[in-house]
Amino acid sequence: MGRAQFLHPLHIQLANNFNNGEFGYYASHPSFTSASASQSLQQQHQQQSYQLPALRLTPREDSTIVQLQRQRLRDQYAVAGVVSKNIPGFKTSAAFFASLRTNLRLHASPPPSPMSAPQSMTNSATSLPPPSPLSHPTDPTMDPSILPEDPLADVPELTTYLATTDDDKIAALKLVADSIAQMRQNANNTLVWHPLNLAVGVALLALVARYTHEARQDKTVTALTCAGIIMIFLAGFRYLTQGYLFAAEAINWEWLGDADVIVTKFGEEVIGTVVVQWVSGEARGKRKKAWRGEVIGWTVRLRYRKKGVGGALLEEAVREARKKGPETTIEFAEEHANSKRVLPSLYNSAFDKRDRRGRELLADLVEVSPTKGSPNKGRRRRGDSR
């Protein structure tokens, strides 16, 4: 086989014209030969090669993200009005100084140099917003008449007194009930994070996960099984601590009886209370009856704890006890509102510690409180927990 020949499209067109009879006159002429036909084809090809139009590459349209980015940049420069394209080197610096001057709100700026600053910077200096009042230096010797007379004028008053109205007593009962309900949340946290329960729970989850994974070979089933076991544990903990809800619902007028209610109000809000039940007893030598006070409820609203409100309430309770007689004593009752325990003693260490600190605080207050005919003992008082 011969070597393949590649013909130019013009050669193909001339050959077609030749076959169609357009060169019939030349073919019938005796002087027409194949060499002359080839030479004429080359000449015509050279003439038409110069007549071919030049190739033009059409620019490809930019992508959408590029167009949006360019439009965003154009909008930024149009809004800022910084500089024109004549001085591209000042674009960044001018934008920085314009933003800095606007943020600082400079009310008096020196005129820009006409040789170095572009016209847009000159225009931006005149279009700044008015200066902020804080930009002027404050005079330390200002008129004292404009200052408030009492800085604590708007702070609500903190008062502690013996409640006499039903509204104050109802608010106190609600506080006591809320404190018992909060014990349930603390008990749940103790059950969840106790080291013994954590060890047992992790071991059980590991065994179940291993058995499930070996039997089903499915991680999703294993994860769902472990999540179900955790939910069962949490539901069981809530069931075990529901006794605190029942104890909170039992705080009512019948529980209060004829006990004295001492409240602390911050403005119009009752933030703390102590409930004292007075029990008659025998005085020394059995000459006359003496009173014994039993604290059956003591609590402070959660966000006001650790601020000395609980200690002030106990101090007021001790003063009320001294009003009933020099030999009147006061202490926490064995069965007070927050003494209920629904879990084994292993999980009640936090409650027992809080109860012990309250009893010690009340004992210190009774010891240092003055009585008729006895000097005031200056023993240091321990810190309260409420």
Side-chain angles (χ1 to χ4, degrees), residues 183-192 194 197 236-244 339-349 351-352:
M183 293 178 65
R184 185 193 187 191
Q185 183 65 30
N186 296 335
N188 287 331
N189 293 335
T190 302
L191 287 174
V192 171
H194 195 277
N197 295 350
F237 292 161
R238 292 184 63 85
Y239 176 78
L240 292 175
T241 57
Q242 65 179 350
Y244 288 110
S339 63
K340 186 176 181 58
R341 305 288 187 266
V342 299
L343 297 177
S345 58
L346 179 65
Y347 305 102
N348 298 326
S349 59
F351 297 147
D352 295 341

Side-chain angles (χ1 to χ4, degrees), residues 38-344:
S38 177
Q39 184 177 3
S40 62
L41 288 175
Q42 292 180 359
Q43 293 176 359
Q44 188 173 1
H45 171 63
Q46 293 177 359
Q47 292 176 0
Q48 293 188 1
S49 63
Y50 294 101
Q51 298 177 1
L52 293 177
L55 296 177
R56 295 183 181 178
L57 297 178
T58 303
R60 187 179 60 181
E61 186 177 358
D62 294 331
S63 61
T64 304
I65 187 64
V66 174
Q67 296 179 16
L68 293 177
Q69 179 68 7
R70 289 179 178 176
Q71 182 63 33
R72 187 179 68 86
L73 294 177
R74 284 196 296 267
D75 294 342
Q76 289 180 354
Y77 284 111
V79 173
V82 182
V83 291
S84 62
K85 298 181 180 179
N86 296 331
I87 312 178
F90 280 89
K91 288 185 178 180
T92 303
S93 59
F96 170 75
F97 287 116
S99 176
L100 180 62
R101 183 171 301 177
T102 303
N103 294 333
L104 294 178
R105 297 181 180 272
L106 299 178
H107 60 281
S109 301
S113 173
M115 300 297 295
S116 59
Q119 183 66 23
S120 58
M121 291 185 62
T122 307
N123 296 333
S124 63
T126 60
S127 61
L128 292 176
S132 172
L134 298 179
S135 61
H136 300 282
T138 57
D139 186 6
T141 60
M142 61 174 56
D143 188 4
S145 60
I146 64 176
L147 296 176
E149 297 180 358
D150 187 6
L152 302 179
D154 297 335
V155 178
E157 184 179 2
L158 184 66
T159 56
T160 301
Y161 59 90
L162 181 64
T164 56
T165 63
D166 291 343
D167 293 339
D168 290 343
K169 292 181 180 181
I170 291 174
L173 291 177
K174 288 182 178 179
L175 278 181
V176 175
D178 291 343
S179 67
I180 299 175
Q182 291 167 6
M183 293 178 65
R184 185 193 187 191
Q185 183 65 30
N186 296 335
N188 287 331
N189 293 335
T190 302
L191 287 174
V192 171
W193 301 109
H194 195 277
L196 178 60
N197 295 350
L198 284 177
V200 173
V202 171
L204 180 60
L205 288 176
L207 292 176
V208 172
R210 181 179 179 180
Y211 174 78
T212 307
H213 184 68
E214 291 179 353
R216 302 294 297 273
Q217 296 294 329
D218 192 348
K219 295 182 179 180
T220 304
V221 175
T222 303
L224 292 177
T225 304
C226 294
I229 293 176
I230 294 175
M231 295 300 296
I232 293 174
F233 267 99
L234 295 179
F237 292 161
R238 292 184 63 85
Y239 176 78
L240 292 175
T241 57
Q242 65 179 350
Y244 288 110
L245 293 181
F246 300 148
E249 294 175 355
I251 303 300
N252 48 29
W253 289 106
E254 183 180 358
W255 174 84
L256 180 62
D258 57 352
D260 288 346
V261 179
I262 302 173
V263 297
T264 296
K265 296 185 71 174
F266 186 58
E268 297 297 329
E269 180 185 12
V270 177
I271 64 172
T273 182
V274 58
V275 183
V276 183
Q277 182 74 46
W278 300 105
V279 180
S280 61
E282 297 293 335
R284 295 178 183 178
K286 298 182 179 181
R287 289 177 295 182
K288 61 178 181 179
K289 293 183 178 181
W291 291 95
R292 179 171 56 87
E294 292 183 350
V295 177
I296 60 175
W298 176 53
T299 184
V300 177
R301 196 175 295 276
L302 187 61
R303 64 175 178 270
Y304 295 108
R305 292 179 183 176
K306 306 293 183 179
K307 295 176 175 59
V309 178
L313 283 167
L314 291 181
E315 288 181 3
E316 186 65 24
V318 172
R319 281 194 289 267
E320 291 294 330
R322 292 291 179 251
K323 292 179 182 179
K324 294 183 176 295
E327 296 184 359
T328 302
T329 60
I330 184 172
E331 59 185 5
F332 274 90
E334 293 296 331
E335 299 293 335
H336 57 84
N338 299 103
S339 63
K340 186 176 181 58
R341 305 288 187 266
V342 299
L343 297 177

